Structure formats: structure tokens, C-alpha cells
Amino acid sequence: MINRKTGFVELAFDKTIKPTMTLGEIKSMDIGESQSELDMGNGWKWYNVRNVKVANLYFIISFGFLDERLKELSLGFSKLKYDLSKGWESCSEKEERQNDVIFNKWLNTELGSERTISWGEVWVGYDEKGGSSSIGLRYNN
């Protein structure tokens, strides 16, 4: 899914996210079951897609754009389709901390243990403020 050499994120045969893509280009891909956009008012915009099926996993992907340029991705996944009707009350810190372990194992399979790469960096982390774990990807562009 994540190409170590290029930083491309391959979602499907004909749907590849590239670091040079614009918000409009990603929106036109029409990926996921649900999409939303958030303008932070400081040059940053976030485009969120939910239940993007890749192989046997369902992903939630947040694309971070600075001045219309893709700079970051945040990924989370599950073997089961996300129930989009559930809110924060269904989240637990214990489960999210377990996701840290699962996400790190997956990322080791995808990229190995070296997380700083020529095109950017990748990490796994738990966001206490947001109450969730995710895989982060930041491009150098």
C-alpha cells in the first residue's frame, strides 16, 4: 500500500495517492463511503474519507493540505467496516493503545523499521487530545 521508494499510497489498481496531488484531484477519485472537509482557516485543509477498502482492511484516511498541497496523511484501519453512526462514546483509550501495536506491526511489514525516508517520514502515535491512534505520513515537499 505505501511505496517505500516513492511515498505513493496505492489504494486500488487505478487509485494511487501521490505527494504532488491537489485536494481537487483527491476529491475527484471518489474514494470511501463517507467524505468530509475541514478548513482550518490558516492555510490547512483536511479531507477525511471513511471505509476505504484496501485488500481485506477498511481505512479511515485524513489528507492534510497546506495551501492546496498534500503534506500529510493520517491512516487508521480495521478488519471490520467502521460503523459511521458511532460517536466518541464508543472509543476507549485501551483499544486505541492496542491499535498502536497493530499499526506498528503493519507499518513494519509495509516499510520496515526505518521510518525516515528520502520523501518524508512515517510514524505511529496515540493522540491524547483526539483520543485515537493513527499512522502518520508527512511529505518533505
Side-chain angles (χ1 to χ4, degrees):
M1 183 168 161
I2 302 173
N3 186 307
R4 182 168 182 71
K5 290 181 183 179
T6 62
F8 292 6
V9 178
E10 299 162 0
L11 304 177
F13 173 72
D14 61 342
K15 296 189 188 236
T16 300
I17 306 302
K18 300 175 185 172
T20 57
M21 294 182 90
T22 65
L23 176 58
E25 288 172 322
I26 290 180
K27 281 177 143 181
S28 72
M29 294 175 82
D30 193 31
I31 55 176
E33 183 179 305
S34 167
Q35 303 82 24
S36 63
E37 185 178 336
L38 180 61
D39 187 336
M40 305 306 288
N42 60 1
W44 279 93
K45 289 183 183 176
W46 287 90
Y47 184 63
N48 305 298
V49 294
R50 293 162 192 86
N51 283 326
V52 178
K53 189 158 191 223
V54 180
N56 61 345
L57 298 173
Y58 291 90
F59 284 82
I60 292 179
I61 307 172
S62 295
F63 300 90
F65 294 86
L66 179 59
D67 299 324
E68 297 298 319
R69 201 167 178 185
L70 182 60
K71 297 297 281 181
E72 294 188 17
L73 289 156
S74 176
L75 309 163
F77 64 81
S78 173
K79 289 183 179 180
L80 301 175
K81 194 173 188 180
Y82 287 97
D83 181 349
L84 302 180
S85 67
K86 287 187 176 179
W88 287 108
E89 71 281 353
S90 66
C91 298
S92 82
E93 182 176 347
K94 182 180 177 183
E95 286 178 19
E96 289 301 323
R97 297 270 186 195
Q98 289 171 343
N99 281 340
D100 259 11
V101 174
I102 293 165
F103 294 167
N104 264 307
K105 285 180 182 178
W106 181 85
L107 201 51
N108 282 338
T109 301
E110 285 289 301
L111 298 175
S113 60
E114 179 56 43
R115 305 290 172 84
T116 301
I117 307 165
S118 62
W119 47 262
E121 63 180 310
V122 184
W123 67 94
V124 173
Y126 175 74
D127 176 6
E128 290 186 22
K129 187 176 177 182
S132 65
S133 292
S134 65
I135 298 164
L137 187 153
R138 183 175 298 124
Y139 293 113
N140 291 333
N141 62 0

XYZ file of all heavy atoms in Angstrom, residues 2 4 14-15 21 31 37 52 54 60 66 70 90-91 127 132 134:
131
model
N 1.864 1.361 0.905
C 2.771 2.517 0.905
C 4.046 2.108 0.179
O 4.723 1.177 0.591
C 3.119 2.989 2.329
C 1.853 3.361 3.105
C 4.076 4.182 2.272
C 2.081 3.672 4.575
N 7.683 2.381 -0.532
C 8.845 2.892 0.194
C 9.697 3.829 -0.660
O 10.253 4.797 -0.158
C 9.690 1.728 0.700
C 10.885 2.196 1.503
C 11.554 1.054 2.243
N 12.647 1.518 3.041
C 12.551 2.236 4.151
N 11.382 2.570 4.619
N 13.623 2.620 4.814
N -6.282 1.448 -9.824
C -6.303 2.731 -10.528
C -6.433 3.932 -9.593
O -6.754 5.019 -10.033
C -7.453 2.745 -11.540
C -8.805 2.566 -10.872
O -8.843 2.099 -9.710
O -9.819 2.889 -11.502
N -6.167 3.741 -8.296
C -6.311 4.826 -7.326
C -5.060 4.899 -6.462
O -4.940 4.198 -5.466
C -7.550 4.633 -6.480
C -8.817 4.698 -7.342
C -10.060 4.715 -6.534
C -11.235 4.579 -7.474
N -12.195 5.576 -7.399
N -0.347 15.591 -5.436
C -1.766 15.756 -5.732
C -2.377 16.943 -4.996
O -1.959 17.302 -3.899
C -2.530 14.480 -5.397
C -2.133 13.318 -6.297
S -3.062 11.817 -5.941
C -4.446 12.069 -7.039
N -13.294 8.247 -3.353
C -12.940 7.070 -2.559
C -13.697 7.085 -1.237
O -14.086 8.125 -0.727
C -11.421 6.982 -2.311
C -10.901 8.268 -1.669
C -10.679 6.663 -3.589
C -9.447 8.244 -1.302
N -14.797 17.637 4.654
C -13.685 18.573 4.506
C -13.736 19.590 5.639
O -14.813 20.029 6.038
C -13.798 19.286 3.164
C -12.648 20.201 2.848
C -12.775 20.844 1.475
O -13.457 20.273 0.602
O -12.185 21.911 1.282
N -12.527 3.142 3.355
C -11.834 2.902 2.088
C -11.334 1.462 2.164
O -10.491 1.136 2.999
C -10.639 3.866 1.906
C -9.910 3.579 0.613
C -11.099 5.315 1.972
N -9.178 -1.542 1.202
C -7.922 -1.893 0.543
C -7.596 -3.316 0.989
O -7.400 -3.566 2.181
C -6.774 -0.930 0.928
C -5.487 -1.326 0.230
C -7.147 0.518 0.621
N -9.689 4.551 7.442
C -10.099 5.944 7.567
C -8.834 6.725 7.236
O -7.773 6.488 7.839
C -10.596 6.276 8.984
C -11.906 5.548 9.247
C -10.758 7.781 9.147
C -12.485 5.771 10.637
N -1.682 21.856 2.862
C -1.249 23.210 3.212
C -1.195 23.996 1.919
O -0.448 23.628 1.001
C 0.106 23.201 3.901
C 0.658 24.568 4.296
C -0.294 25.300 5.257
C 2.040 24.432 4.924
N -0.700 18.605 -0.871
C -0.735 17.477 0.056
C 0.559 17.430 0.867
O 1.648 17.346 0.314
C -0.922 16.158 -0.709
C -1.021 14.898 0.139
C -2.204 14.964 1.097
C -1.126 13.665 -0.752
N -18.061 5.536 21.833
C -17.674 4.148 21.541
C -16.156 3.948 21.569
O -15.687 2.822 21.469
C -18.215 3.728 20.175
O -17.594 4.469 19.150
N -15.408 5.016 21.740
C -13.935 4.922 21.744
C -13.427 4.627 23.150
O -14.006 5.073 24.133
C -13.319 6.235 21.270
S -13.759 6.659 19.589
N -2.854 10.027 19.958
C -3.156 11.437 20.186
C -4.087 11.534 21.389
O -5.265 11.189 21.293
C -3.814 12.025 18.933
C -4.251 13.468 19.096
O -3.948 14.085 20.144
O -4.895 13.987 18.175
N -7.233 8.997 19.836
C -7.123 7.935 18.837
C -5.672 7.689 18.457
O -4.822 8.555 18.606
C -7.932 8.283 17.588
O -7.384 9.419 16.959
N -3.105 6.482 15.255
C -3.087 6.502 13.796
C -1.660 6.363 13.292
O -0.692 6.491 14.032
C -3.707 7.799 13.253
O -2.921 8.909 13.626
